[in-house]
Amino acid sequence: MTTIDGPVSIGELAKAASTQVVTIRYYERIGLLPSPRRTPGNYRTYDREQVFRLRFIRRCRDLGFTLDQIRDLLRLSARKEQDCTDVDRLAAAHLEEVEKKIADLKRLAAELHRLNNCCEGGGRIADCRIIDALSH
Amino acid sequence: MTTIDGPVSIGELAKAASTQVVTIRYYERIGLLPSPRRTPGNYRTYDREQVFRLRFIRRCRDLGFTLDQIRDLLRLSARKEQDCTDVDRLAAAHLEEVEKKIADLKRLAAELHRLNNCCEGGGRIADCRIIDALSH
DNA sequence: GCTTGACCCTATAGCGGCTATAGGGTGCAG
DNA sequence: CTGCACCCTATAGCCGCTATAGGGTCAAGC
């Protein structure tokens, strides 16, 4: 995690937030990042605040939040004087979703396990239990 | 699971394989299902074999195989005299992927759990530990 | 015969979250 | 002044559908 001091180019921002340049432009287009100032040569320049904002976004993405949820979190995080019930709720709801997904995948893995165990290998396709099982 | 005897319409096929009509047309467009015969009124008509094929596809989808993997499985399942090593390999690789995804999500859930536990709720956004943690 | 309604047809655009490609311009070093 | 790394815009593509617009077909009931 490098420290940022002055205004930086989009490439430097990308590096500082472990993002790709195209992704930053994409976030700008969909309104997740504000349009930054431009140099006389029409290059984007970012200040410290945008670096923090992008890092926040990436951290949330890493945790599996959708861009819409992140939009909410950003909006909420700006209202410093309001209480944080909504933030708590959002995070809890997301955790619940993730745990549901894990449960789904576990059931799936169990079924795939059964599938894989039913074929000893080396036989003909015509006798393959996997194909058979997939056909019901 | 209903039995199918004669040629059926796309709607009946959809019902018989728990699919949506649009999805069937989509599968046809991408070459996963063959173009069926048409009635004089230009309606698609399917026979038993296509019902089995579509059920096979849906079953694979339920197990999380991609359409490309299913294309392979269909191709393999047609070569009845060849040995089924490739089928075994495909299924095993898929299981491995699913298990990796489960592991990833578990790590994620653990982190979200820590996140949720660090905020007692009721405070101001300015003091919210979740927002804080998301900001690094 | 005429209407109603369920079903079918094609073509096209949209979802999320990027990624890739084409076809250029900028800025700095040698 | 040339080469190169970087930047710009606009557009299309990825997966696996889903939705929408604008029609045609077919059987039943009047």
Side-chain angles (χ1 to χ4, degrees):
Chain A
M1 194 61 49
T2 38
T3 48
I4 309 291
D5 14 60
V8 295
S9 72
I10 195 171
E12 289 164 318
L13 173 60
K15 226 169 273 169
S18 311
T19 318
Q20 287 201 265
V21 167
V22 277
T23 303
I24 297 175
R25 288 198 277 250
Y26 169 69
Y27 286 167
E28 181 183 333
R29 215 173 52 240
I30 63 167
L32 210 55
L33 282 175
S35 304
R37 271 171 287 118
R38 300 283 184 131
T39 65
N42 202 31
Y43 284 17
R44 289 168 176 84
T45 32
Y46 299 90
D47 50 25
R48 225 173 329 211
E49 188 165 334
Q50 299 320 309
V51 179
F52 291 144
R53 193 177 174 94
L54 181 55
R55 275 187 187 156
F56 182 93
I57 293 170
R58 294 311 296 184
R59 170 103 175 102
C60 292
R61 284 297 296 143
D62 286 346
L63 289 172
F65 288 93
T66 67
L67 294 184
D68 265 355
Q69 289 174 321
I70 296 173
R71 219 185 290 272
D72 285 346
L73 284 171
L74 282 167
R75 204 167 21 73
L76 291 170
S77 74
R79 311 186 160 178
K80 299 238 180 289
E81 293 312 316
Q82 288 205 332
D83 86 325
C84 61
T85 320
D86 289 349
V87 174
D88 299 358
R89 195 162 28 221
L90 223 161
H94 180 47
L95 176 56
E96 207 171 321
E97 263 174 54
V98 169
E99 274 171 349
K100 188 172 165 310
K101 203 175 278 180
I102 290 173
D104 286 351
L105 283 178
K106 272 187 178 169
R107 245 176 289 122
L108 210 150
E111 209 164 344
L112 283 171
H113 229 81
R114 271 200 302 283
L115 195 66
N116 281 10
N117 282 350
C118 77
C119 185
E120 309 82 36
R124 294 181 315 147
I125 289 277
D127 309 321
C128 179
R129 301 298 201 82
I130 293 185
I131 293 290
D132 193 51
L134 288 172
S135 311
H136 258 302
Chain B
M1 193 61 51
T2 37
T3 48
I4 309 291
D5 15 57
V8 294
S9 72
I10 195 171
E12 289 164 319
L13 173 60
K15 228 168 272 169
S18 312
T19 319
Q20 289 201 264
V21 167
V22 277
T23 304
I24 296 174
R25 287 198 278 250
Y26 170 69
Y27 287 167
E28 181 184 333
R29 214 173 54 240
I30 64 169
L32 209 56
L33 282 175
S35 304
R37 272 172 286 118
R38 300 283 184 130
T39 65
N42 201 31
Y43 284 17
R44 289 167 176 85
T45 31
Y46 299 90
D47 51 24
R48 227 173 328 213
E49 187 164 338
Q50 299 320 309
V51 179
F52 291 145
R53 193 179 174 93
L54 182 55
R55 275 185 186 158
F56 182 94
I57 294 171
R58 294 310 297 182
R59 171 105 176 101
C60 292
R61 284 297 297 143
D62 286 346
L63 290 172
F65 287 93
T66 67
L67 294 183
D68 266 354
Q69 289 173 321
I70 296 172
R71 219 186 290 272
D72 286 346
L73 285 171
L74 282 167
R75 202 168 22 74
L76 291 169
S77 74
R79 309 187 163 177
K80 301 238 178 288
E81 293 312 316
Q82 287 204 334
D83 85 326
C84 62
T85 320
D86 288 350
V87 174
D88 299 359
R89 196 163 28 224
L90 224 161
H94 180 47
L95 175 57
E96 206 170 322
E97 263 173 53
V98 170
E99 273 171 349
K100 188 172 166 309
K101 202 173 277 179
I102 291 173
D104 285 352
L105 283 178
K106 273 187 179 169
R107 245 177 289 120
L108 210 151
E111 209 164 342
L112 283 171
H113 229 83
R114 271 200 301 284
L115 195 65
N116 281 10
N117 282 349
C118 76
C119 186
E120 309 83 37
R124 294 181 315 147
I125 289 278
D127 309 321
C128 178
R129 300 297 202 82
I130 293 183
I131 293 289
D132 194 53
L134 288 171
S135 312
H136 259 304

